[in-house]
PDB file of all heavy atoms in Angstrom:
ATOM      1  N   GLU A   1      77.272 101.388  68.342  1.00 98.00           N
ATOM      2  CA  GLU A   1      75.949 100.943  68.658  1.00 98.00           C
ATOM      3  C   GLU A   1      74.926 102.066  68.733  1.00 98.00           C
ATOM      4  O   GLU A   1      73.759 101.824  69.088  1.00 98.00           O
ATOM      5  CB  GLU A   1      75.960 100.143  69.983  1.00 98.00           C
ATOM      6  CG  GLU A   1      76.731  98.859  69.906  1.00 98.00           C
ATOM      7  CD  GLU A   1      76.708  98.037  71.175  1.00 98.00           C
ATOM      8  OE1 GLU A   1      76.449  98.598  72.244  1.00 98.00           O
ATOM      9  OE2 GLU A   1      76.985  96.823  71.122  1.00 98.00           O
ATOM     10  N   GLY A   2      75.345 103.308  68.400  1.00 98.00           N
ATOM     11  CA  GLY A   2      74.396 104.380  68.269  1.00 98.00           C
ATOM     12  C   GLY A   2      74.278 105.271  69.503  1.00 98.00           C
ATOM     13  O   GLY A   2      73.387 106.144  69.515  1.00 98.00           O
ATOM     14  N   ARG A   3      75.131 105.131  70.498  1.00 98.00           N
ATOM     15  CA  ARG A   3      75.108 106.058  71.653  1.00 98.00           C
ATOM     16  C   ARG A   3      75.828 107.346  71.295  1.00 98.00           C
ATOM     17  O   ARG A   3      76.876 107.318  70.661  1.00 98.00           O
ATOM     18  CB  ARG A   3      75.744 105.392  72.862  1.00 98.00           C
ATOM     19  CG  ARG A   3      74.990 104.177  73.390  1.00 98.00           C
ATOM     20  CD  ARG A   3      75.702 103.532  74.588  1.00 98.00           C
ATOM     21  NE  ARG A   3      74.888 102.439  75.105  1.00 98.00           N
ATOM     22  CZ  ARG A   3      74.991 101.186  74.645  1.00 98.00           C
ATOM     23  NH1 ARG A   3      75.815 100.880  73.681  1.00 98.00           N
ATOM     24  NH2 ARG A   3      74.181 100.257  75.159  1.00 98.00           N
ATOM     25  N   ASP A   4      75.285 108.461  71.767  1.00 98.00           N
ATOM     26  CA  ASP A   4      75.920 109.732  71.511  1.00 98.00           C
ATOM     27  C   ASP A   4      77.215 109.825  72.317  1.00 98.00           C
ATOM     28  O   ASP A   4      77.212 109.585  73.524  1.00 98.00           O
ATOM     29  CB  ASP A   4      74.989 110.872  71.918  1.00 98.00           C
ATOM     30  CG  ASP A   4      73.847 111.041  70.958  1.00 98.00           C
ATOM     31  OD1 ASP A   4      73.932 110.619  69.813  1.00 98.00           O
ATOM     32  OD2 ASP A   4      72.781 111.583  71.426  1.00 98.00           O
ATOM     33  N   VAL A   5      78.303 110.176  71.626  1.00 98.00           N
ATOM     34  CA  VAL A   5      79.594 110.398  72.289  1.00 98.00           C
ATOM     35  C   VAL A   5      79.721 111.882  72.539  1.00 98.00           C
ATOM     36  O   VAL A   5      80.031 112.610  71.609  1.00 98.00           O
ATOM     37  CB  VAL A   5      80.768 109.850  71.442  1.00 98.00           C
ATOM     38  CG1 VAL A   5      82.073 110.096  72.167  1.00 98.00           C
ATOM     39  CG2 VAL A   5      80.564 108.365  71.156  1.00 98.00           C
ATOM     40  N   LYS A   6      79.450 112.312  73.767  1.00 98.00           N
ATOM     41  CA  LYS A   6      79.385 113.730  74.056  1.00 98.00           C
ATOM     42  C   LYS A   6      80.505 114.206  74.954  1.00 98.00           C
ATOM     43  O   LYS A   6      81.071 113.412  75.762  1.00 98.00           O
ATOM     44  CB  LYS A   6      78.015 114.062  74.734  1.00 98.00           C
ATOM     45  CG  LYS A   6      76.832 113.874  73.833  1.00 98.00           C
ATOM     46  CD  LYS A   6      75.543 114.383  74.453  1.00 98.00           C
ATOM     47  CE  LYS A   6      74.398 114.267  73.480  1.00 98.00           C
ATOM     48  NZ  LYS A   6      73.123 114.816  74.070  1.00 98.00           N
ATOM     49  N   TYR A   7      80.868 115.455  74.770  1.00 98.00           N
ATOM     50  CA  TYR A   7      81.900 116.045  75.612  1.00 98.00           C
ATOM     51  C   TYR A   7      81.552 117.473  75.932  1.00 98.00           C
ATOM     52  O   TYR A   7      80.674 118.057  75.283  1.00 98.00           O
ATOM     53  CB  TYR A   7      83.272 115.960  74.945  1.00 98.00           C
ATOM     54  CG  TYR A   7      83.428 116.607  73.631  1.00 98.00           C
ATOM     55  CD1 TYR A   7      83.879 117.951  73.523  1.00 98.00           C
ATOM     56  CD2 TYR A   7      83.145 115.962  72.432  1.00 98.00           C
ATOM     57  CE1 TYR A   7      84.020 118.566  72.299  1.00 98.00           C
ATOM     58  CE2 TYR A   7      83.301 116.584  71.197  1.00 98.00           C
ATOM     59  CZ  TYR A   7      83.741 117.898  71.155  1.00 98.00           C
ATOM     60  OH  TYR A   7      83.865 118.515  69.916  1.00 98.00           O
ATOM     61  N   LEU A   8      82.228 118.047  76.961  1.00 98.00           N
ATOM     62  CA  LEU A   8      82.021 119.450  77.318  1.00 98.00           C
ATOM     63  C   LEU A   8      83.207 120.291  76.862  1.00 98.00           C
ATOM     64  O   LEU A   8      84.360 119.888  76.976  1.00 98.00           O
ATOM     65  CB  LEU A   8      81.882 119.602  78.831  1.00 98.00           C
ATOM     66  CG  LEU A   8      80.589 119.095  79.512  1.00 98.00           C
ATOM     67  CD1 LEU A   8      80.533 119.585  80.926  1.00 98.00           C
ATOM     68  CD2 LEU A   8      79.330 119.486  78.735  1.00 98.00           C
ATOM     69  N   LYS A   9      82.866 121.494  76.389  1.00 98.00           N
ATOM     70  CA  LYS A   9      83.851 122.560  76.197  1.00 98.00           C
ATOM     71  C   LYS A   9      83.607 123.583  77.300  1.00 98.00           C
ATOM     72  O   LYS A   9      82.481 124.086  77.427  1.00 98.00           O
ATOM     73  CB  LYS A   9      83.708 123.192  74.807  1.00 98.00           C
ATOM     74  CG  LYS A   9      84.047 122.232  73.659  1.00 98.00           C
ATOM     75  CD  LYS A   9      83.597 122.752  72.316  1.00 98.00           C
ATOM     76  CE  LYS A   9      84.457 123.954  71.893  1.00 98.00           C
ATOM     77  NZ  LYS A   9      84.067 124.391  70.482  1.00 98.00           N
ATOM     78  N   ILE A  10      84.603 123.852  78.074  1.00 98.00           N
ATOM     79  CA  ILE A  10      84.472 124.728  79.229  1.00 98.00           C
ATOM     80  C   ILE A  10      85.413 125.920  79.025  1.00 98.00           C
ATOM     81  O   ILE A  10      86.631 125.739  78.886  1.00 98.00           O
ATOM     82  CB  ILE A  10      84.790 124.017  80.566  1.00 98.00           C
ATOM     83  CG1 ILE A  10      83.847 122.799  80.725  1.00 98.00           C
ATOM     84  CG2 ILE A  10      84.673 124.944  81.718  1.00 98.00           C
ATOM     85  CD1 ILE A  10      84.205 121.892  81.900  1.00 98.00           C
ATOM     86  N   SER A  11      84.825 127.119  79.016  1.00 98.00           N
ATOM     87  CA  SER A  11      85.637 128.295  78.606  1.00 98.00           C
ATOM     88  C   SER A  11      84.968 129.567  79.135  1.00 98.00           C
ATOM     89  O   SER A  11      83.766 129.728  79.057  1.00 98.00           O
ATOM     90  CB  SER A  11      85.778 128.355  77.120  1.00 98.00           C
ATOM     91  OG  SER A  11      86.342 129.580  76.703  1.00 98.00           O
ATOM     92  N   SER A  12      85.800 130.462  79.650  1.00 96.00           N
ATOM     93  CA  SER A  12      85.265 131.784  80.119  1.00 96.00           C
ATOM     94  C   SER A  12      85.006 132.700  78.921  1.00 96.00           C
ATOM     95  O   SER A  12      84.409 133.740  79.061  1.00 96.00           O
ATOM     96  CB  SER A  12      86.254 132.427  81.082  1.00 96.00           C
ATOM     97  OG  SER A  12      87.485 132.648  80.442  1.00 96.00           O
ATOM     98  N   SER A  13      85.533 132.319  77.753  1.00 95.00           N
ATOM     99  CA  SER A  13      85.382 133.172  76.569  1.00 95.00           C
ATOM    100  C   SER A  13      84.717 132.419  75.414  1.00 95.00           C
ATOM    101  O   SER A  13      84.846 132.824  74.265  1.00 95.00           O
ATOM    102  CB  SER A  13      86.766 133.687  76.119  1.00 95.00           C
ATOM    103  OG  SER A  13      87.659 132.582  75.890  1.00 95.00           O
ATOM    104  N   ASN A  14      84.042 131.326  75.710  1.00 93.00           N
ATOM    105  CA  ASN A  14      83.335 130.558  74.711  1.00 93.00           C
ATOM    106  C   ASN A  14      84.240 130.115  73.571  1.00 93.00           C
ATOM    107  O   ASN A  14      83.821 130.092  72.403  1.00 93.00           O
ATOM    108  CB  ASN A  14      82.141 131.334  74.145  1.00 93.00           C
ATOM    109  CG  ASN A  14      81.170 130.450  73.415  1.00 93.00           C
ATOM    110  OD1 ASN A  14      81.022 129.242  73.683  1.00 93.00           O
ATOM    111  ND2 ASN A  14      80.443 131.041  72.453  1.00 93.00           N
ATOM    112  N   PHE A  15      85.498 129.795  73.897  1.00 95.00           N
ATOM    113  CA  PHE A  15      86.467 129.301  72.934  1.00 95.00           C
ATOM    114  C   PHE A  15      86.786 130.301  71.817  1.00 95.00           C
ATOM    115  O   PHE A  15      87.247 129.951  70.733  1.00 95.00           O
ATOM    116  CB  PHE A  15      86.012 127.970  72.334  1.00 95.00           C
ATOM    117  CG  PHE A  15      86.531 126.765  73.066  1.00 95.00           C
ATOM    118  CD1 PHE A  15      86.104 126.482  74.365  1.00 95.00           C
ATOM    119  CD2 PHE A  15      87.465 125.906  72.482  1.00 95.00           C
ATOM    120  CE1 PHE A  15      86.576 125.361  75.067  1.00 95.00           C
ATOM    121  CE2 PHE A  15      87.926 124.813  73.178  1.00 95.00           C
ATOM    122  CZ  PHE A  15      87.510 124.538  74.499  1.00 95.00           C
ATOM    123  N   THR A  16      86.556 131.578  72.073  1.00 94.00           N
ATOM    124  CA  THR A  16      86.808 132.605  71.031  1.00 94.00           C
ATOM    125  C   THR A  16      88.144 133.298  71.224  1.00 94.00           C
ATOM    126  O   THR A  16      88.612 134.010  70.328  1.00 94.00           O
ATOM    127  CB  THR A  16      85.692 133.657  71.050  1.00 94.00           C
ATOM    128  OG1 THR A  16      85.657 134.275  72.341  1.00 94.00           O
ATOM    129  CG2 THR A  16      84.346 133.052  70.722  1.00 94.00           C
ATOM    130  N   ASP A  17      88.794 133.108  72.386  1.00 95.00           N
ATOM    131  CA  ASP A  17      90.081 133.766  72.654  1.00 95.00           C
ATOM    132  C   ASP A  17      91.173 132.831  72.191  1.00 95.00           C
ATOM    133  O   ASP A  17      91.548 131.877  72.846  1.00 95.00           O
ATOM    134  CB  ASP A  17      90.193 134.016  74.172  1.00 95.00           C
ATOM    135  CG  ASP A  17      91.464 134.818  74.498  1.00 95.00           C
ATOM    136  OD1 ASP A  17      92.319 134.960  73.602  1.00 95.00           O
ATOM    137  OD2 ASP A  17      91.580 135.276  75.641  1.00 95.00           O
ATOM    138  N   ASN A  18      91.741 133.140  71.034  1.00 93.00           N
ATOM    139  CA  ASN A  18      92.764 132.311  70.437  1.00 93.00           C
ATOM    140  C   ASN A  18      94.138 132.366  71.159  1.00 93.00           C
ATOM    141  O   ASN A  18      95.059 131.665  70.803  1.00 93.00           O
ATOM    142  CB  ASN A  18      92.944 132.645  68.969  1.00 93.00           C
ATOM    143  CG  ASN A  18      91.777 132.252  68.132  1.00 93.00           C
ATOM    144  OD1 ASN A  18      91.089 131.237  68.452  1.00 93.00           O
ATOM    145  ND2 ASN A  18      91.465 133.017  67.094  1.00 93.00           N
ATOM    146  N   SER A  19      94.230 133.256  72.157  1.00 93.00           N
ATOM    147  CA  SER A  19      95.479 133.312  72.915  1.00 93.00           C
ATOM    148  C   SER A  19      95.533 132.290  74.053  1.00 93.00           C
ATOM    149  O   SER A  19      96.571 132.115  74.647  1.00 93.00           O
ATOM    150  CB  SER A  19      95.644 134.735  73.483  1.00 93.00           C
ATOM    151  OG  SER A  19      94.699 134.991  74.508  1.00 93.00           O
ATOM    152  N   LYS A  20      94.399 131.649  74.317  1.00 96.00           N
ATOM    153  CA  LYS A  20      94.325 130.718  75.441  1.00 96.00           C
ATOM    154  C   LYS A  20      94.651 129.276  75.000  1.00 96.00           C
ATOM    155  O   LYS A  20      94.088 128.838  73.982  1.00 96.00           O
ATOM    156  CB  LYS A  20      92.944 130.742  76.087  1.00 96.00           C
ATOM    157  CG  LYS A  20      92.618 132.058  76.767  1.00 96.00           C
ATOM    158  CD  LYS A  20      91.169 132.102  77.190  1.00 96.00           C
ATOM    159  CE  LYS A  20      90.822 131.078  78.265  1.00 96.00           C
ATOM    160  NZ  LYS A  20      89.450 131.230  78.756  1.00 96.00           N
ATOM    161  N   PRO A  21      95.505 128.555  75.688  1.00 97.00           N
ATOM    162  CA  PRO A  21      95.748 127.151  75.371  1.00 97.00           C
ATOM    163  C   PRO A  21      94.584 126.276  75.808  1.00 97.00           C
ATOM    164  O   PRO A  21      93.728 126.691  76.568  1.00 97.00           O
ATOM    165  CB  PRO A  21      97.009 126.820  76.176  1.00 97.00           C
ATOM    166  CG  PRO A  21      96.900 127.719  77.359  1.00 97.00           C
ATOM    167  CD  PRO A  21      96.274 129.012  76.843  1.00 97.00           C
ATOM    168  N   ILE A  22      94.587 125.057  75.273  1.00 98.00           N
ATOM    169  CA  ILE A  22      93.499 124.110  75.549  1.00 98.00           C
ATOM    170  C   ILE A  22      94.066 122.865  76.255  1.00 98.00           C
ATOM    171  O   ILE A  22      95.095 122.355  75.854  1.00 98.00           O
ATOM    172  CB  ILE A  22      92.774 123.704  74.245  1.00 98.00           C
ATOM    173  CG1 ILE A  22      92.069 124.907  73.653  1.00 98.00           C
ATOM    174  CG2 ILE A  22      91.778 122.550  74.511  1.00 98.00           C
ATOM    175  CD1 ILE A  22      91.500 124.645  72.255  1.00 98.00           C
ATOM    176  N   TYR A  23      93.341 122.445  77.286  1.00 98.00           N
ATOM    177  CA  TYR A  23      93.645 121.198  77.974  1.00 98.00           C
ATOM    178  C   TYR A  23      92.497 120.195  77.632  1.00 98.00           C
ATOM    179  O   TYR A  23      91.357 120.432  77.912  1.00 98.00           O
ATOM    180  CB  TYR A  23      93.682 121.465  79.489  1.00 98.00           C
ATOM    181  CG  TYR A  23      94.337 120.403  80.336  1.00 98.00           C
ATOM    182  CD1 TYR A  23      95.421 120.726  81.184  1.00 98.00           C
ATOM    183  CD2 TYR A  23      93.899 119.088  80.328  1.00 98.00           C
ATOM    184  CE1 TYR A  23      96.041 119.776  81.933  1.00 98.00           C
ATOM    185  CE2 TYR A  23      94.518 118.128  81.150  1.00 98.00           C
ATOM    186  CZ  TYR A  23      95.583 118.481  81.951  1.00 98.00           C
ATOM    187  OH  TYR A  23      96.199 117.538  82.761  1.00 98.00           O
ATOM    188  N   PHE A  24      92.877 119.107  76.958  1.00 98.00           N
ATOM    189  CA  PHE A  24      91.947 118.076  76.543  1.00 98.00           C
ATOM    190  C   PHE A  24      92.161 116.833  77.316  1.00 98.00           C
ATOM    191  O   PHE A  24      93.286 116.272  77.297  1.00 98.00           O
ATOM    192  CB  PHE A  24      92.098 117.835  75.032  1.00 98.00           C
ATOM    193  CG  PHE A  24      91.279 116.715  74.447  1.00 98.00           C
ATOM    194  CD1 PHE A  24      90.083 116.326  75.001  1.00 98.00           C
ATOM    195  CD2 PHE A  24      91.713 116.027  73.356  1.00 98.00           C
ATOM    196  CE1 PHE A  24      89.297 115.274  74.483  1.00 98.00           C
ATOM    197  CE2 PHE A  24      90.984 114.984  72.757  1.00 98.00           C
ATOM    198  CZ  PHE A  24      89.768 114.609  73.372  1.00 98.00           C
ATOM    199  N   MET A  25      91.152 116.373  78.030  1.00 98.00           N
ATOM    200  CA  MET A  25      91.288 115.084  78.733  1.00 98.00           C
ATOM    201  C   MET A  25      90.128 114.165  78.346  1.00 98.00           C
ATOM    202  O   MET A  25      89.003 114.640  78.073  1.00 98.00           O
ATOM    203  CB  MET A  25      91.306 115.278  80.230  1.00 98.00           C
ATOM    204  CG  MET A  25      89.995 115.688  80.896  1.00 98.00           C
ATOM    205  SD  MET A  25      90.102 115.874  82.695  1.00 98.00           S
ATOM    206  CE  MET A  25      90.850 117.470  82.828  1.00 98.00           C
ATOM    207  N   ASP A  26      90.403 112.902  78.294  1.00 98.00           N
ATOM    208  CA  ASP A  26      89.378 111.909  78.083  1.00 98.00           C
ATOM    209  C   ASP A  26      89.559 110.738  79.036  1.00 98.00           C
ATOM    210  O   ASP A  26      90.585 110.575  79.643  1.00 98.00           O
ATOM    211  CB  ASP A  26      89.284 111.478  76.607  1.00 98.00           C
ATOM    212  CG  ASP A  26      90.517 110.756  76.120  1.00 98.00           C
ATOM    213  OD1 ASP A  26      91.104 109.951  76.885  1.00 98.00           O
ATOM    214  OD2 ASP A  26      90.898 111.004  74.959  1.00 98.00           O
ATOM    215  N   ALA A  27      88.525 109.914  79.137  1.00 98.00           N
ATOM    216  CA  ALA A  27      88.531 108.815  80.064  1.00 98.00           C
ATOM    217  C   ALA A  27      87.746 107.648  79.531  1.00 98.00           C
ATOM    218  O   ALA A  27      86.984 107.778  78.516  1.00 98.00           O
ATOM    219  CB  ALA A  27      87.972 109.230  81.435  1.00 98.00           C
ATOM    220  N   THR A  28      87.871 106.512  80.151  1.00 98.00           N
ATOM    221  CA  THR A  28      87.095 105.302  79.840  1.00 98.00           C
ATOM    222  C   THR A  28      87.214 104.902  78.374  1.00 98.00           C
ATOM    223  O   THR A  28      86.252 104.553  77.748  1.00 98.00           O
ATOM    224  CB  THR A  28      85.609 105.454  80.244  1.00 98.00           C
ATOM    225  OG1 THR A  28      85.499 106.314  81.385  1.00 98.00           O
ATOM    226  CG2 THR A  28      84.995 104.110  80.593  1.00 98.00           C
ATOM    227  N   MET A  29      88.430 104.965  77.889  1.00 98.00           N
ATOM    228  CA  MET A  29      88.745 104.390  76.579  1.00 98.00           C
ATOM    229  C   MET A  29      88.669 102.878  76.667  1.00 98.00           C
ATOM    230  O   MET A  29      88.268 102.178  75.724  1.00 98.00           O
ATOM    231  CB  MET A  29      90.106 104.893  76.103  1.00 98.00           C
ATOM    232  CG  MET A  29      90.403 104.615  74.649  1.00 98.00           C
ATOM    233  SD  MET A  29      91.920 105.473  74.093  1.00 98.00           S
ATOM    234  CE  MET A  29      91.286 107.104  73.705  1.00 98.00           C
ATOM    235  N   HIS A  30      89.090 102.386  77.830  1.00 98.00           N
ATOM    236  CA  HIS A  30      88.929 100.942  78.163  1.00 98.00           C
ATOM    237  C   HIS A  30      87.734 100.789  79.092  1.00 98.00           C
ATOM    238  O   HIS A  30      87.709 101.375  80.175  1.00 98.00           O
ATOM    239  CB  HIS A  30      90.198 100.415  78.790  1.00 98.00           C
ATOM    240  CG  HIS A  30      91.372 100.320  77.851  1.00 98.00           C
ATOM    241  ND1 HIS A  30      92.679 100.446  78.267  1.00 98.00           N
ATOM    242  CD2 HIS A  30      91.409 100.118  76.522  1.00 98.00           C
ATOM    243  CE1 HIS A  30      93.472 100.308  77.202  1.00 98.00           C
ATOM    244  NE2 HIS A  30      92.712 100.095  76.170  1.00 98.00           N
ATOM    245  N   ALA A  31      86.787 100.006  78.687  1.00 97.00           N
ATOM    246  CA  ALA A  31      85.471  99.966  79.294  1.00 97.00           C
ATOM    247  C   ALA A  31      85.498  99.636  80.767  1.00 97.00           C
ATOM    248  O   ALA A  31      84.751 100.169  81.564  1.00 97.00           O
ATOM    249  CB  ALA A  31      84.587  98.941  78.559  1.00 97.00           C
ATOM    250  N   ARG A  32      86.369  98.714  81.164  1.00 96.00           N
ATOM    251  CA  ARG A  32      86.336  98.169  82.545  1.00 96.00           C
ATOM    252  C   ARG A  32      86.952  99.147  83.572  1.00 96.00           C
ATOM    253  O   ARG A  32      86.854  98.941  84.778  1.00 96.00           O
ATOM    254  CB  ARG A  32      87.095  96.897  82.622  1.00 96.00           C
ATOM    255  CG  ARG A  32      88.578  96.969  82.288  1.00 96.00           C
ATOM    256  CD  ARG A  32      89.140  95.585  82.037  1.00 96.00           C
ATOM    257  NE  ARG A  32      90.571  95.647  81.681  1.00 96.00           N
ATOM    258  CZ  ARG A  32      91.229  94.591  81.199  1.00 96.00           C
ATOM    259  NH1 ARG A  32      90.610  93.450  81.029  1.00 96.00           N
ATOM    260  NH2 ARG A  32      92.517  94.675  80.921  1.00 96.00           N
ATOM    261  N   GLU A  33      87.576 100.242  83.092  1.00 96.00           N
ATOM    262  CA  GLU A  33      88.271 101.169  83.987  1.00 96.00           C
ATOM    263  C   GLU A  33      87.283 102.198  84.502  1.00 96.00           C
ATOM    264  O   GLU A  33      87.405 103.410  84.256  1.00 96.00           O
ATOM    265  CB  GLU A  33      89.444 101.758  83.263  1.00 96.00           C
ATOM    266  CG  GLU A  33      90.453 100.693  82.860  1.00 96.00           C
ATOM    267  CD  GLU A  33      91.542 101.135  81.902  1.00 96.00           C
ATOM    268  OE1 GLU A  33      91.659 102.360  81.637  1.00 96.00           O
ATOM    269  OE2 GLU A  33      92.304 100.266  81.395  1.00 96.00           O
ATOM    270  N   TRP A  34      86.307 101.720  85.269  1.00 95.00           N
ATOM    271  CA  TRP A  34      85.196 102.554  85.742  1.00 95.00           C
ATOM    272  C   TRP A  34      85.664 103.801  86.537  1.00 95.00           C
ATOM    273  O   TRP A  34      85.008 104.837  86.417  1.00 95.00           O
ATOM    274  CB  TRP A  34      84.259 101.761  86.623  1.00 95.00           C
ATOM    275  CG  TRP A  34      83.436 100.731  85.920  1.00 95.00           C
ATOM    276  CD1 TRP A  34      83.490 100.365  84.599  1.00 95.00           C
ATOM    277  CD2 TRP A  34      82.424  99.904  86.503  1.00 95.00           C
ATOM    278  NE1 TRP A  34      82.567  99.383  84.351  1.00 95.00           N
ATOM    279  CE2 TRP A  34      81.901  99.073  85.487  1.00 95.00           C
ATOM    280  CE3 TRP A  34      81.917  99.776  87.809  1.00 95.00           C
ATOM    281  CZ2 TRP A  34      80.892  98.144  85.716  1.00 95.00           C
ATOM    282  CZ3 TRP A  34      80.890  98.845  88.062  1.00 95.00           C
ATOM    283  CH2 TRP A  34      80.397  98.038  87.005  1.00 95.00           C
ATOM    284  N   VAL A  35      86.737 103.669  87.298  1.00 95.00           N
ATOM    285  CA  VAL A  35      87.101 104.759  88.170  1.00 95.00           C
ATOM    286  C   VAL A  35      87.609 105.968  87.440  1.00 95.00           C
ATOM    287  O   VAL A  35      87.691 107.053  87.995  1.00 95.00           O
ATOM    288  CB  VAL A  35      88.144 104.233  89.193  1.00 95.00           C
ATOM    289  CG1 VAL A  35      89.543 104.094  88.577  1.00 95.00           C
ATOM    290  CG2 VAL A  35      88.197 105.150  90.429  1.00 95.00           C
TER     291      VAL A  35
END
């Protein structure tokens, strides 16, 4: 419907340190699960 799907990248090295692993989390894939 045209809403921007936005996310944050949080990093002390601006994602440039390839030795650091990444933790990816998402939420509200199901609309009614507000919490």
Side-chain angles (χ1 to χ4, degrees):
E1 293 182 341
R3 294 178 177 87
D4 290 335
V5 180
K6 293 187 176 183
Y7 60 91
L8 289 190
K9 294 168 69 175
I10 301 172
S11 170
S12 61
S13 56
N14 196 27
F15 268 67
T16 60
D17 185 348
N18 290 329
S19 69
K20 293 171 66 175
I22 294 171
Y23 196 123
F24 173 29
M25 73 179 79
D26 62 39
T28 329
M29 193 169 277
H30 290 151
R32 64 193 178 191
E33 297 169 10
W34 289 5
V35 75

